[in-house]
Coordinates of all heavy atoms in Angstrom, one line a residue:
M126 N 207.9 140.0 94.7 CA 207.2 138.7 95.0 C 207.5 137.7 93.9 O 207.7 137.9 92.8 CB 205.7 139.1 95.0 CG 205.2 139.6 96.3 SD 205.4 138.5 97.7 CE 203.8 137.6 97.5
S127 N 207.5 136.5 94.4 CA 207.8 135.4 93.5 C 206.5 134.9 92.8 O 205.4 135.0 93.4 CB 208.4 134.2 94.3 OG 208.3 133.1 93.5
T128 N 206.6 134.5 91.5 CA 205.5 134.1 90.8 C 205.4 132.5 90.8 O 204.7 131.9 90.1 CB 205.5 134.5 89.3 OG1 206.8 134.2 88.8 CG2 205.3 136.0 89.2
Q129 N 206.2 132.0 91.6 CA 206.3 130.5 91.7 C 204.9 129.9 92.2 O 204.2 130.6 92.9 CB 207.4 130.1 92.7 CG 208.6 129.7 91.9 CD 209.6 129.0 92.8 OE1 209.5 129.0 94.0 NE2 210.5 128.3 92.2
A130 N 204.7 128.7 91.8 CA 203.5 128.0 92.2 C 203.5 127.8 93.7 O 204.5 127.7 94.3 CB 203.4 126.6 91.5
P131 N 202.3 127.9 94.3 CA 202.2 127.7 95.7 C 202.7 126.3 96.1 O 202.6 125.4 95.4 CB 200.7 127.8 96.0 CG 200.0 127.8 94.7 CD 201.0 128.1 93.6
A132 N 203.3 126.3 97.3 CA 203.9 125.0 97.8 C 202.8 123.9 97.7 O 201.7 124.1 98.1 CB 204.4 125.2 99.2
G133 N 203.2 122.8 97.2 CA 202.3 121.6 97.1 C 201.4 121.6 95.9 O 200.8 120.6 95.7
A134 N 201.5 122.6 95.1 CA 200.7 122.6 93.8 C 201.3 121.6 92.8 O 202.6 121.5 92.8 CB 200.6 124.0 93.2
K135 N 200.5 120.9 92.1 CA 201.0 119.9 91.2 C 200.4 120.2 89.8 O 199.2 120.4 89.6 CB 200.6 118.5 91.6 CG 201.3 118.2 92.9 CD 200.7 116.9 93.6 CE 201.3 116.6 94.9 NZ 201.0 117.6 96.0
Y136 N 201.3 120.3 88.8 CA 200.9 120.6 87.5 C 201.3 119.5 86.5 O 202.4 118.9 86.7 CB 201.5 121.9 87.0 CG 201.0 123.1 87.8 CD1 201.7 123.6 88.9 CD2 199.8 123.7 87.5 CE1 201.3 124.6 89.6 CE2 199.3 124.7 88.2 CZ 200.1 125.2 89.3 OH 199.6 126.3 90.0
C137 N 200.5 119.2 85.5 CA 200.8 118.2 84.5 C 202.0 118.7 83.7 O 202.1 119.9 83.3 CB 199.6 118.1 83.6 SG 200.0 117.0 82.1
C138 N 203.0 117.8 83.5 CA 204.3 118.2 82.8 C 204.0 118.4 81.3 O 204.9 118.9 80.6 CB 205.3 117.2 83.1 SG 205.0 115.6 82.3
K139 N 202.9 118.0 80.8 CA 202.6 118.1 79.4 C 201.8 119.3 79.1 O 202.1 120.1 78.2 CB 201.9 116.9 78.9 CG 202.9 115.7 78.6 CD 203.6 115.9 77.3 CE 204.8 115.0 77.3 NZ 205.7 115.3 76.2
C140 N 200.7 119.5 79.7 CA 199.7 120.6 79.4 C 199.6 121.6 80.5 O 198.9 122.5 80.4 CB 198.3 120.0 79.1 SG 197.6 119.2 80.5
S141 N 200.4 121.5 81.6 CA 200.5 122.4 82.7 C 199.1 122.6 83.4 O 198.9 123.6 84.0 CB 200.9 123.8 82.2 OG 202.1 123.7 81.4
K142 N 198.3 121.6 83.2 CA 197.0 121.6 83.9 C 197.2 121.5 85.4 O 198.1 120.7 85.8 CB 196.1 120.5 83.4 CG 194.6 120.7 83.8 CD 193.8 119.8 82.8 CE 193.3 118.6 83.5 NZ 192.4 117.8 82.6
D143 N 196.5 122.2 86.2 CA 196.6 122.0 87.7 C 195.9 120.7 88.1 O 194.7 120.5 88.0 CB 195.9 123.2 88.3 CG 196.1 123.2 89.8 OD1 196.6 122.2 90.4 OD2 195.8 124.2 90.5
V144 N 196.8 119.8 88.6 CA 196.2 118.5 89.0 C 196.3 118.3 90.5 O 196.3 117.2 91.0 CB 196.9 117.4 88.2 CG1 196.5 117.3 86.8 CG2 198.4 117.5 88.4
T145 N 196.5 119.4 91.2 CA 196.7 119.4 92.7 C 195.6 118.6 93.4 O 195.8 117.8 94.2 CB 196.8 120.8 93.3 OG1 197.6 121.6 92.4 CG2 197.3 120.7 94.7
H146 N 194.4 118.9 92.9 CA 193.2 118.3 93.6 C 192.5 117.3 92.8 O 191.3 117.0 93.0 CB 192.3 119.4 94.1 CG 192.9 120.4 95.0 ND1 193.3 120.1 96.2 CD2 193.3 121.7 94.8 CE1 193.9 121.1 96.8 NE2 193.9 122.1 95.9
Q147 N 193.2 116.8 91.8 CA 192.5 115.7 91.0 C 193.4 114.6 90.7 O 194.6 114.6 91.1 CB 191.9 116.3 89.7 CG 193.0 116.9 88.8 CD 192.3 117.3 87.4 OE1 191.8 118.3 87.2 NE2 192.3 116.3 86.5
Q148 N 192.8 113.6 90.1 CA 193.6 112.4 89.8 C 194.8 112.7 88.9 O 194.7 113.5 88.0 CB 192.7 111.4 89.0 CG 193.2 110.0 89.0 CD 192.5 109.2 87.9 OE1 191.6 109.7 87.2 NE2 192.9 107.9 87.8
R149 N 195.9 112.1 89.2 CA 197.2 112.4 88.5 C 198.1 111.2 88.6 O 198.0 110.3 89.4 CB 197.9 113.6 89.0 CG 198.3 113.4 90.5 CD 198.7 114.7 91.2 NE 198.9 114.4 92.6 CZ 198.1 114.7 93.5 NH1 196.9 115.3 93.2 NH2 198.3 114.4 94.8
M150 N 199.0 111.2 87.6 CA 200.1 110.1 87.6 C 201.4 110.8 87.9 O 201.6 111.9 87.5 CB 200.1 109.4 86.3 CG 199.0 108.3 86.1 SD 197.4 109.0 86.2 CE 196.6 108.2 85.0
K151 N 202.3 110.0 88.4 CA 203.7 110.6 88.7 C 204.6 109.6 88.0 O 204.6 108.4 88.1 CB 204.0 110.6 90.2 CG 205.1 111.5 90.5 CD 205.3 111.5 92.1 CE 206.4 112.4 92.5 NZ 206.6 112.3 94.0
D152 N 205.5 110.2 87.1 CA 206.4 109.3 86.4 C 207.7 109.1 87.2 O 207.9 109.6 88.3 CB 206.7 109.8 85.0 CG 207.5 111.1 85.0 OD1 208.1 111.5 86.0 OD2 207.6 111.7 83.9
T153 N 208.6 108.3 86.7 CA 209.9 107.9 87.4 C 210.7 109.2 87.7 O 211.6 109.1 88.6 CB 210.7 106.9 86.6 OG1 210.8 107.4 85.2 CG2 210.0 105.6 86.6
E154 N 210.6 110.2 86.9 CA 211.3 111.4 87.1 C 210.6 112.4 88.1 O 211.1 113.5 88.3 CB 211.6 112.1 85.8 CG 212.7 111.4 85.0 CD 212.6 111.7 83.5 OE1 212.8 112.9 83.2 OE2 212.4 110.9 82.7
G155 N 209.5 112.0 88.6 CA 208.8 112.8 89.6 C 207.9 113.8 89.0 O 207.4 114.7 89.7
R156 N 207.7 113.7 87.7 CA 206.8 114.7 87.1 C 205.4 114.2 87.1 O 205.1 113.0 87.1 CB 207.2 114.9 85.6 CG 208.5 115.5 85.4 CD 208.9 115.6 84.0 NE 208.9 114.3 83.4 CZ 209.3 114.0 82.1 NH1 209.7 115.0 81.4 NH2 209.3 112.8 81.7
Y157 N 204.4 115.2 87.2 CA 203.0 114.8 87.2 C 202.4 114.8 85.9 O 202.8 115.6 85.0 CB 202.3 115.8 88.2 CG 202.7 115.6 89.6 CD1 203.5 116.6 90.2 CD2 202.3 114.5 90.3 CE1 204.0 116.4 91.5 CE2 202.7 114.3 91.6 CZ 203.5 115.3 92.2 OH 204.0 115.1 93.5
W158 N 201.4 113.9 85.7 CA 200.7 113.8 84.4 C 199.2 113.8 84.7 O 198.8 113.1 85.6 CB 201.0 112.5 83.8 CG 202.4 112.3 83.3 CD1 203.5 112.1 84.1 CD2 202.9 112.3 81.9 NE1 204.6 112.0 83.3 CE2 204.3 112.1 82.0 CE3 202.2 112.5 80.7 CZ2 205.0 112.1 80.8 CZ3 203.0 112.4 79.6 CH2 204.4 112.3 79.6
C159 N 198.5 114.6 84.0 CA 197.0 114.5 84.1 C 196.5 113.2 83.4 O 197.3 112.7 82.6 CB 196.3 115.8 83.5 SG 196.4 115.9 81.7
P160 N 195.4 112.7 83.7 CA 194.9 111.5 83.1 C 194.9 111.5 81.6 O 195.3 110.5 80.9 CB 193.5 111.3 83.7 CG 193.5 112.1 84.9 CD 194.4 113.3 84.7
D161 N 194.5 112.7 81.0 CA 194.5 112.8 79.6 C 195.8 112.6 78.9 O 196.0 111.8 78.0 CB 193.9 114.2 79.2 CG 192.4 114.2 79.3 OD1 191.8 113.2 79.6 OD2 191.8 115.3 79.2
C162 N 196.8 113.3 79.4 CA 198.2 113.3 78.8 C 198.8 111.9 79.1 O 199.5 111.4 78.2 CB 199.1 114.4 79.4 SG 198.6 116.0 78.9
S163 N 198.5 111.4 80.2 CA 199.1 110.0 80.5 C 198.5 109.0 79.6 O 199.2 108.1 79.1 CB 198.7 109.7 82.0 OG 198.6 108.3 82.1
K164 N 197.2 109.1 79.2 CA 196.6 108.2 78.3 C 197.2 108.3 76.9 O 197.5 107.4 76.2 CB 195.1 108.5 78.3 CG 194.2 107.2 78.3 CD 192.7 107.6 78.2 CE 192.2 107.9 79.6 NZ 190.9 108.5 79.6
K165 N 197.4 109.6 76.5 CA 197.9 109.9 75.2 C 199.3 109.3 75.1 O 199.7 108.8 74.0 CB 197.9 111.4 74.9 CG 196.7 111.9 74.2 CD 196.8 113.4 74.0 CE 195.5 114.1 74.4 NZ 195.7 115.5 74.5
D166 N 200.1 109.5 76.2 CA 201.5 109.0 76.2 C 201.5 107.5 76.1 O 202.3 106.9 75.3 CB 202.2 109.4 77.4 CG 203.7 109.2 77.4 OD1 204.3 109.8 76.5 OD2 204.2 108.4 78.2
E167 N 200.6 106.8 76.7 CA 200.5 105.4 76.7 C 200.2 104.9 75.2 O 200.8 104.0 74.7 CB 199.4 104.9 77.6 CG 199.8 104.8 79.1 CD 200.9 103.8 79.3 OE1 200.8 102.7 78.8 OE2 201.9 104.2 80.0
A168 N 199.3 105.6 74.6 CA 198.9 105.3 73.2 C 200.1 105.4 72.3 O 200.3 104.6 71.4 CB 197.7 106.2 72.8
K169 N 200.9 106.5 72.5 CA 202.0 106.7 71.7 C 203.1 105.6 71.9 O 203.6 105.1 71.0 CB 202.6 108.1 72.2 CG 203.3 108.8 71.0 CD 204.0 110.0 71.6 CE 203.6 111.3 71.0 NZ 204.2 112.5 71.6
K170 N 203.2 105.2 73.2 CA 204.2 104.1 73.5 C 203.8 102.9 72.8 O 204.6 102.1 72.2 CB 204.2 103.9 75.0 CG 205.4 104.7 75.6 CD 205.5 104.3 77.1 CE 205.8 105.5 78.0 NZ 205.4 105.3 79.3
M171 N 202.5 102.6 72.8 CA 202.0 101.4 72.2 C 202.2 101.4 70.7 O 202.6 100.4 70.1 CB 200.4 101.3 72.4 CG 200.0 101.0 73.8 SD 200.2 99.2 74.2 CE 198.7 98.6 73.3
E172 N 202.1 102.6 70.1 CA 202.3 102.7 68.7 C 203.7 102.4 68.3 O 203.9 101.9 67.2 CB 202.0 104.2 68.3 CG 201.2 104.4 67.1 CD 200.7 105.8 66.9 OE1 201.5 106.6 66.4 OE2 199.6 106.1 67.4
H173 N 204.6 102.7 69.1 CA 206.0 102.5 68.8 C 206.6 101.2 69.3 O 207.7 100.8 68.9 CB 206.9 103.7 69.3 CG 206.6 105.0 68.6 ND1 207.2 105.2 67.4 CD2 205.8 106.0 68.9 CE1 206.7 106.4 67.0 NE2 205.9 106.9 67.9
A174 N 205.9 100.6 70.2 CA 206.4 99.4 70.9 C 206.5 98.2 69.9 O 207.3 97.3 70.1 CB 205.5 99.1 72.1
G175 N 205.6 98.1 68.9 CA 205.6 97.0 68.1 C 204.8 95.9 68.7 O 204.2 96.1 69.8
A176 N 204.9 94.7 68.2 CA 204.2 93.6 68.8 C 204.8 92.2 68.3 O 205.7 92.2 67.5 CB 202.7 93.7 68.4
V177 N 204.2 91.2 68.8 CA 204.7 89.8 68.4 C 203.7 89.3 67.4 O 202.5 89.3 67.5 CB 204.7 88.9 69.7 CG1 204.9 87.5 69.3 CG2 205.7 89.4 70.7
C178 N 204.3 88.9 66.3 CA 203.5 88.4 65.1 C 202.7 87.2 65.6 O 203.2 86.2 66.2 CB 204.4 88.0 64.0 SG 203.6 87.1 62.7
K179 N 201.4 87.1 65.2 CA 200.5 86.0 65.6 C 200.8 84.8 64.7 O 200.4 83.7 65.1 CB 199.1 86.4 65.5 CG 198.6 87.4 66.5 CD 198.5 86.8 67.9 CE 198.5 87.9 69.0 NZ 198.8 87.3 70.3
G180 N 201.5 85.0 63.6 CA 201.8 83.9 62.7 C 203.0 83.1 63.1 O 202.9 81.9 63.2
C181 N 204.1 83.8 63.4 CA 205.3 83.1 63.7 C 205.9 83.3 65.1 O 206.8 82.7 65.5 CB 206.4 83.5 62.7 SG 206.8 85.2 62.7
G182 N 205.3 84.2 65.9 CA 205.7 84.4 67.2 C 206.9 85.3 67.4 O 207.5 85.4 68.5
E183 N 207.4 85.9 66.3 CA 208.6 86.8 66.4 C 208.1 88.2 66.7 O 207.1 88.6 66.3 CB 209.3 86.8 65.0 CG 209.9 85.4 64.6 CD 211.2 85.1 65.3 OE1 211.9 86.1 65.7 OE2 211.6 84.0 65.5
A184 N 209.0 88.9 67.4 CA 208.7 90.3 67.7 C 209.1 91.2 66.5 O 210.2 91.1 66.0 CB 209.4 90.7 69.0
F185 N 208.2 92.2 66.2 CA 208.5 93.1 65.1 C 208.2 94.5 65.5 O 207.3 94.7 66.4 CB 207.7 92.7 63.9 CG 208.1 91.5 63.2 CD1 207.6 90.3 63.5 CD2 209.1 91.5 62.2 CE1 208.0 89.1 62.9 CE2 209.6 90.3 61.6 CZ 209.0 89.1 62.0
S186 N 208.8 95.5 64.9 CA 208.4 96.9 65.2 C 207.2 97.2 64.4 O 206.8 96.5 63.5 CB 209.5 97.8 64.8 OG 209.7 97.9 63.4
K187 N 206.5 98.2 64.9 CA 205.2 98.6 64.3 C 205.1 98.7 62.8 O 204.2 98.2 62.2 CB 204.7 99.9 65.0 CG 203.2 100.2 64.8 CD 202.4 99.6 65.9 CE 201.0 99.8 65.5 NZ 200.1 99.6 66.7
P188 N 206.1 99.4 62.2 CA 206.0 99.5 60.7 C 206.1 98.2 59.9 O 205.7 98.1 58.8 CB 207.2 100.4 60.3 CG 207.6 101.1 61.6 CD 207.3 100.1 62.7
Q189 N 206.6 97.2 60.6 CA 206.8 95.9 59.9 C 205.6 95.0 60.0 O 205.5 94.0 59.4 CB 208.0 95.1 60.5 CG 209.3 95.8 60.2 CD 210.4 95.1 61.0 OE1 210.5 95.2 62.2 NE2 211.3 94.4 60.2
L190 N 204.6 95.5 60.8 CA 203.4 94.7 61.1 C 202.2 95.2 60.3 O 202.0 96.3 60.1 CB 203.1 94.6 62.6 CG 204.2 93.9 63.4 CD1 204.0 94.3 64.9 CD2 204.1 92.4 63.2
T191 N 201.3 94.2 60.0 CA 200.0 94.5 59.4 C 199.0 94.0 60.4 O 199.1 92.8 60.9 CB 199.8 93.8 58.1 OG1 201.0 94.2 57.2 CG2 198.6 94.3 57.4
W192 N 198.0 94.8 60.7 CA 197.0 94.4 61.7 C 195.8 93.9 61.0 O 195.1 94.6 60.2 CB 196.7 95.6 62.6 CG 197.9 95.9 63.5 CD1 199.0 96.6 63.0 CD2 198.1 95.6 64.8 NE1 199.9 96.8 64.1 CE2 199.4 96.1 65.2 CE3 197.4 94.9 65.8 CZ2 200.0 96.0 66.4 CZ3 198.0 94.8 67.1 CH2 199.2 95.3 67.4
I193 N 195.4 92.6 61.3 CA 194.2 92.1 60.8 C 193.3 91.6 61.9 O 193.7 90.7 62.7 CB 194.6 90.9 59.9 CG1 195.5 91.4 58.7 CG2 193.3 90.2 59.3 CD1 196.2 90.3 58.0
G194 N 192.1 92.2 62.0 CA 191.2 91.8 63.1 C 191.8 92.1 64.4 O 191.5 91.3 65.4
G195 N 192.6 93.1 64.6 CA 193.2 93.5 65.9 C 194.5 92.6 66.2 O 195.0 92.7 67.3
L196 N 194.9 91.8 65.3 CA 196.0 90.9 65.5 C 197.2 91.3 64.6 O 196.9 91.5 63.4 CB 195.7 89.4 65.4 CG 194.6 88.9 66.3 CD1 194.2 87.5 65.9 CD2 195.1 88.9 67.8
P197 N 198.4 91.3 65.1 CA 199.5 91.7 64.2 C 200.1 90.5 63.5 O 200.3 89.4 64.0 CB 200.5 92.3 65.3 CG 200.2 91.6 66.5 CD 198.8 91.1 66.5
Y198 N 200.5 90.8 62.2 CA 201.2 89.8 61.4 C 202.3 90.5 60.7 O 202.2 91.6 60.2 CB 200.2 89.2 60.4 CG 199.1 88.3 61.0 CD1 197.9 88.9 61.3 CD2 199.4 87.0 61.2 CE1 196.9 88.1 61.9 CE2 198.4 86.2 61.8 CZ 197.2 86.8 62.1 OH 196.2 86.0 62.7
C199 N 203.5 89.7 60.6 CA 204.6 90.3 59.9 C 204.5 90.1 58.4 O 203.6 89.4 58.0 CB 205.9 89.6 60.4 SG 206.1 87.9 59.9
K200 N 205.4 90.7 57.7 CA 205.3 90.6 56.2 C 205.4 89.2 55.7 O 204.6 88.8 54.9 CB 206.4 91.5 55.6 CG 206.0 93.0 55.7 CD 206.4 93.8 54.5 CE 205.9 95.2 54.5 NZ 206.7 96.0 55.4
P201 N 206.4 88.4 56.1 CA 206.5 87.0 55.6 C 205.2 86.2 55.9 O 204.7 85.5 55.0 CB 207.7 86.5 56.3 CG 208.5 87.6 56.7 CD 207.5 88.8 57.0
C202 N 204.6 86.4 57.1 CA 203.4 85.7 57.4 C 202.2 86.2 56.5 O 201.4 85.4 56.1 CB 203.1 85.8 58.9 SG 204.1 84.9 60.0
M203 N 202.2 87.5 56.3 CA 201.2 88.0 55.5 C 201.3 87.4 54.1 O 200.3 87.0 53.5 CB 201.3 89.5 55.4 CG 200.8 90.3 56.5 SD 199.0 90.2 56.6 CE 198.6 91.0 55.1
T204 N 202.5 87.4 53.6 CA 202.7 86.9 52.2 C 202.3 85.4 52.1 O 201.6 85.1 51.2 CB 204.2 87.0 51.9 OG1 204.6 88.3 52.2 CG2 204.5 86.8 50.4
S205 N 202.7 84.6 53.1 CA 202.3 83.2 53.0 C 200.8 83.1 53.2 O 200.2 82.2 52.5 CB 203.0 82.4 54.1 OG 202.7 82.9 55.4
R206 N 200.2 83.9 54.0 CA 198.7 83.8 54.2 C 198.0 84.1 52.9 O 197.1 83.5 52.5 CB 198.3 84.9 55.2 CG 198.4 84.4 56.6 CD 197.6 85.3 57.5 NE 197.1 84.4 58.6 CZ 195.9 84.6 59.1 NH1 195.1 85.6 58.7 NH2 195.4 83.8 60.1
F207 N 198.5 85.2 52.2 CA 197.9 85.6 51.0 C 198.1 84.6 49.9 O 197.3 84.3 49.1 CB 198.4 87.0 50.6 CG 197.5 88.1 51.2 CD1 198.1 89.1 51.9 CD2 196.2 88.1 51.0 CE1 197.4 90.1 52.5 CE2 195.4 89.1 51.6 CZ 196.0 90.1 52.3
A208 N 199.3 84.0 50.0 CA 199.6 83.0 49.0 C 198.7 81.8 49.1 O 198.1 81.3 48.1 CB 201.1 82.5 49.2
V209 N 198.4 81.4 50.4 CA 197.5 80.3 50.6 C 196.1 80.7 50.1 O 195.4 79.9 49.4 CB 197.4 80.0 52.1 CG1 196.3 79.0 52.5 CG2 198.8 79.4 52.6
K210 N 195.7 81.9 50.5 CA 194.3 82.3 50.1 C 194.2 82.4 48.5 O 193.2 81.9 48.0 CB 194.2 83.8 50.6 CG 192.7 84.1 51.0 CD 192.7 85.4 51.7 CE 191.3 85.8 52.1 NZ 191.2 87.1 52.7
K211 N 195.2 82.9 47.9 CA 195.2 83.0 46.5 C 195.1 81.6 45.8 O 194.3 81.4 44.9 CB 196.5 83.6 46.0 CG 196.4 84.7 45.0 CD 197.7 85.4 44.9 CE 197.9 86.3 43.7 NZ 199.3 86.8 43.8
T212 N 195.9 80.7 46.4 CA 195.8 79.3 45.8 C 194.4 78.7 46.0 O 193.9 78.1 45.1 CB 196.8 78.4 46.6 OG1 198.1 79.1 46.6 CG2 197.1 77.1 45.8
F213 N 193.9 78.9 47.2 CA 192.6 78.4 47.6 C 191.5 79.0 46.6 O 190.7 78.3 46.0 CB 192.2 78.7 49.0 CG 190.8 78.4 49.4 CD1 190.4 77.1 49.6 CD2 189.9 79.4 49.6 CE1 189.1 76.7 49.9 CE2 188.6 79.1 49.9 CZ 188.2 77.7 50.1
L214 N 191.5 80.3 46.5 CA 190.6 81.0 45.6 C 190.8 80.6 44.2 O 189.8 80.3 43.5 CB 190.8 82.5 45.7 CG 190.1 83.2 47.0 CD1 190.4 84.7 47.0 CD2 188.6 82.9 47.0
G215 N 192.0 80.4 43.8 CA 192.3 80.0 42.5 C 191.7 78.6 42.2 O 191.1 78.4 41.1
R216 N 191.8 77.7 43.2 CA 191.2 76.4 43.0 C 189.7 76.5 42.9 O 189.1 75.8 42.1 CB 191.6 75.6 44.3 CG 191.9 74.1 43.9 CD 192.3 73.3 45.2 NE 193.5 73.8 45.8 CZ 193.7 73.9 47.1 NH1 192.8 73.6 47.9 NH2 194.9 74.2 47.5
V217 N 189.1 77.3 43.8 CA 187.6 77.4 43.8 C 187.2 78.0 42.4 O 186.3 77.5 41.8 CB 187.1 78.4 44.9 CG1 185.7 78.7 44.8 CG2 187.4 77.7 46.3
W218 N 187.9 79.0 42.0 CA 187.6 79.6 40.7 C 187.7 78.6 39.5 O 186.9 78.5 38.7 CB 188.6 80.7 40.5 CG 188.3 81.6 39.2 CD1 189.2 81.7 38.2 CD2 187.2 82.3 38.9 NE1 188.6 82.5 37.2 CE2 187.4 82.9 37.7 CE3 185.9 82.5 39.6 CZ2 186.4 83.7 37.0 CZ3 185.0 83.3 38.9 CH2 185.2 83.9 37.7
S219 N 188.8 77.8 39.6 CA 188.9 76.7 38.6 C 187.7 75.7 38.6 O 187.2 75.4 37.6 CB 190.2 75.9 38.9 OG 191.3 76.8 38.8
Q220 N 187.3 75.4 39.8 CA 186.2 74.5 40.0 C 184.9 75.1 39.4 O 184.1 74.4 38.7 CB 186.0 74.1 41.5 CG 186.9 73.0 41.9 CD 186.9 72.8 43.4 OE1 186.0 73.4 44.1 NE2 187.8 72.1 43.9
L221 N 184.7 76.4 39.7 CA 183.5 77.1 39.2 C 183.5 77.1 37.7 O 182.4 77.0 37.1 CB 183.5 78.5 39.8 CG 183.0 78.7 41.2 CD1 183.2 80.1 41.7 CD2 181.6 78.2 41.4
K222 N 184.7 77.2 37.2 CA 184.8 77.3 35.7 C 184.7 75.9 35.1 O 184.7 75.8 33.9 CB 186.1 78.1 35.3 CG 186.0 79.6 35.5 CD 187.0 80.3 34.7 CE 188.4 80.0 35.2 NZ 189.4 80.8 34.5
G223 N 184.8 74.9 36.0 CA 184.7 73.6 35.5 C 186.0 73.1 34.9 O 186.0 72.2 34.0
E224 N 187.1 73.6 35.3 CA 188.4 73.2 34.8 C 188.9 72.0 35.5 O 188.7 71.9 36.7 CB 189.4 74.3 34.9 CG 189.2 75.3 33.8 CD 190.1 76.5 33.9 OE1 191.0 76.5 34.8 OE2 189.9 77.5 33.2
Ligands
ZN501 ZN1 198.1 117.1 80.9
ZN502 ZN1 205.2 86.3 61.3

């Protein structure tokens, strides 16, 4: 006797969960995904996809970006932002000290 899955049975390609009678996704290669694995895969893709810097509009990979308030900024933009902030704070500090 064969131990093969019954005809028409659908299993998640990641966790082998039986998704025959429940919500599932099918990828371009015809494999099935359960909602959980599909969600995890999406999150992983997002992590590696990178984003467009909100400061200069250039696209960067994830490791090059710093997220502030949910928005991505590249290193040069971060540096200039901090430089501005530092100068501003420095000025305020000087005023407070009465210089
Ligand atoms: Zn799964
Ligand atoms: Zn930038």
Side-chain angles (χ1 to χ4, degrees):
M126 277 298 273
S127 163
T128 50
Q129 263 195 339
K135 296 166 181 72
Y136 295 95
C137 172
C138 68
K139 280 282 163 190
C140 66
S141 311
K142 195 160 107 178
D143 188 347
V144 288
T145 315
H146 301 293
Q147 61 172 89
Q148 196 195 359
R149 62 190 173 262
M150 279 62 138
K151 199 176 178 184
D152 67 14
T153 47
E154 287 161 60
R156 295 175 303 184
Y157 292 104
W158 293 74
C159 70
D161 281 353
C162 291
S163 150
K164 221 180 279 168
K165 267 181 225 164
D166 191 62
E167 280 297 310
K169 212 189 236 173
K170 266 187 217 157
M171 288 281 283
E172 221 171 85
H173 289 281
V177 172
C178 170
K179 290 289 164 197
C181 60
E183 296 279 334
F185 290 92
S186 68
K187 195 91 185 195
Q189 293 175 289
L190 292 164
T191 306
W192 295 76
I193 299 165
L196 298 173
Y198 291 92
C199 70
K200 284 218 172 77
C202 285
M203 278 295 295
T204 312
S205 58
R206 276 196 145 217
F207 273 123
V209 168
K210 212 172 177 184
K211 225 168 165 182
T212 314
F213 173 73
L214 281 178
R216 217 180 293 139
V217 172
W218 185 241
S219 298
Q220 279 170 9
L221 282 173
K222 283 198 295 185
E224 281 173 8

